[in-house]
Amino acid sequence: GVNKVAKGKGKAVTKAAVEFYGPDRAKWLGPYSDGAVPSYLKGEYPGDYGWDTAGLSADPDTFAAYREAELMHARWAMLGALGCIVPELLANNGTPIAEPVWFKAGAQIFADGGLDYLGNPSLVHAQSIVATLITQVVLMGLVEGYRINGGPAGEGLDKNYP
């Protein structure tokens, strides 16, 4: 690519001027991509390197649905990562948590006393994995239903970026 030099606080910084969008963007085969990029991949979205062997983005409506699902999954994954880190940080700073390690914490529900969130039986005291699963499915269903239907907070907004 073309190199540009930018001056910042007395130092010259070299940046590669690779475009990420449009027909001149970087492609998956590099210079050998001419003629190999499907016509419906025009470089309009992040991550479009001209590669779609399965044709998943050929139909615009299907692509929009996949894009929405990927964004939602990414948001839930970020919350999950936070849920892995926070209990360990709380335990390291004095909060009494029986098992702060994320991959061991779920097994506490099978213990005799059940699972106490944040070590406090007054908050949520889970003794049945079936009841916990049903509660989670109902709560997530309500939240997702609210999001999909627009809800009063989402009227007139893009459903991917409320």
Side-chain angles (χ1 to χ4, degrees):
V2 178
N3 288 333
K4 291 184 179 178
V5 177
K7 298 241 180 195
K9 294 189 180 183
K11 285 185 161 182
V13 180
T14 304
K15 295 181 181 181
V18 176
E19 288 190 31
F20 294 105
Y21 299 100
D24 296 330
R25 69 196 182 282
K27 297 187 182 75
W28 69 288
L29 283 177
Y32 304 108
S33 293
D34 291 338
V37 177
S39 62
Y40 52 85
L41 294 178
K42 298 176 176 59
E44 300 170 306
Y45 296 101
D48 178 0
Y49 295 105
W51 183 54
D52 186 18
T53 54
L56 297 176
S57 52
D59 177 38
D61 293 333
T62 304
F63 177 67
Y66 285 150
R67 186 169 172 255
E68 178 182 350
E70 183 177 6
L71 188 61
M72 290 285 96
H73 291 149
R75 289 176 179 165
W76 285 115
M78 287 186 278
L79 283 173
L82 184 66
C84 291
I85 295 169
V86 168
E88 291 190 41
L89 290 174
L90 289 173
N92 288 341
N93 290 311
T95 303
I97 299 176
E99 185 56 71
V101 180
W102 68 271
F103 57 86
K104 295 179 181 178
Q108 289 181 5
I109 201 166
F110 298 114
D112 290 336
L115 176 64
D116 295 329
Y117 286 89
L118 295 176
N120 186 347
S122 301
L123 291 175
V124 175
H125 182 68
Q127 291 185 318
S128 168
I129 195 163
V130 174
T132 303
L133 177 67
I134 290 170
T135 302
Q136 184 175 358
V137 168
V138 168
L139 290 175
M140 288 301 300
L142 290 172
V143 169
E144 283 297 299
Y146 179 84
R147 181 187 66 83
I148 289 170
N149 292 323
E155 291 177 8
L157 297 175
D158 182 356
K159 60 184 172 182
N160 288 333
Y161 303 101

